[in-house]
Amino acid sequence: MRHRGQFSRSERVARSRLAKLLHNEPFLCGSLVSMRRVCGKEGCKCAQGELHPGLCLALRVGDKRKMIYVPQALEATVRRWVSSYQEAWELMEKVSQSCLQRFLRGKREIRVAKRQKAAERGKS
């Protein structure tokens, strides 16, 4: 593992923010979906087609996708947790891109070194 001082500034910032986020914030690996629904009460306006707005959490549980209704009292909390997950995902993508660039650079260096070694052997 490289010393963090060797990482670019943007990668250090992303790694630091990601570590703080994962350590300090709860998160839910899912997304929020606005849905309109029928409550089932007789005489309610939704029975005539004016559906109630609702929020569902879409996530994967094992191999299955689930839609879980989010009560209004928990909407702000769930929005914050899903937002933390999305931010963590974006930060991991940034770090991954930096690592990919390092990998490709290392691969190029190896290829150049092999060519130089072959050229030196060819001169002898």
Side-chain angles (χ1 to χ4, degrees):
M1 183 69 189
R2 296 170 60 176
H3 184 271
R4 65 179 171 230
Q6 295 175 327
F7 296 139
S8 68
R9 184 182 189 302
S10 64
E11 185 178 354
R12 283 194 316 271
V13 168
R15 284 175 178 269
S16 175
R17 176 65 187 137
L18 179 60
K20 286 177 186 173
L21 189 65
L22 296 177
H23 182 70
N24 298 324
E25 298 290 327
F27 60 91
L28 279 170
C29 300
S31 58
L32 294 172
V33 180
S34 294
M35 300 186 79
R36 302 193 89 32
R37 62 185 181 79
V38 176
C39 70
K41 293 180 187 172
E42 284 186 36
C44 183
K45 62 183 179 180
C46 66
Q48 282 76 40
E50 196 177 325
L51 303 178
H52 300 287
L55 190 66
C56 287
L57 174 65
L59 46 75
R60 192 179 293 268
V61 177
D63 291 340
K64 297 184 178 184
R65 292 186 174 274
K66 299 274 185 180
M67 293 287 277
I68 302 170
Y69 173 74
V70 178
Q72 279 185 329
L74 293 176
E75 274 188 29
T77 301
V78 171
R79 283 185 191 281
R80 198 171 52 252
W81 291 359
V82 169
S83 177
S84 292
Y85 163 69
Q86 290 169 341
E87 184 181 355
W89 185 262
E90 289 169 9
L91 291 166
M92 285 191 299
E93 284 289 322
K94 261 186 186 177
V95 171
S96 178
Q97 284 301 311
S98 294
C99 292
L100 175 61
Q101 293 305 313
R102 272 200 307 279
F103 167 71
L104 293 174
R105 218 175 12 255
K107 192 174 167 184
R108 258 191 318 272
E109 289 169 5
I110 290 171
R111 193 170 47 240
V112 167
K114 282 183 179 180
R115 283 185 196 148
Q116 287 174 346
K117 201 171 191 180
E120 288 173 6
R121 272 188 264 136
K123 288 180 183 177
S124 303

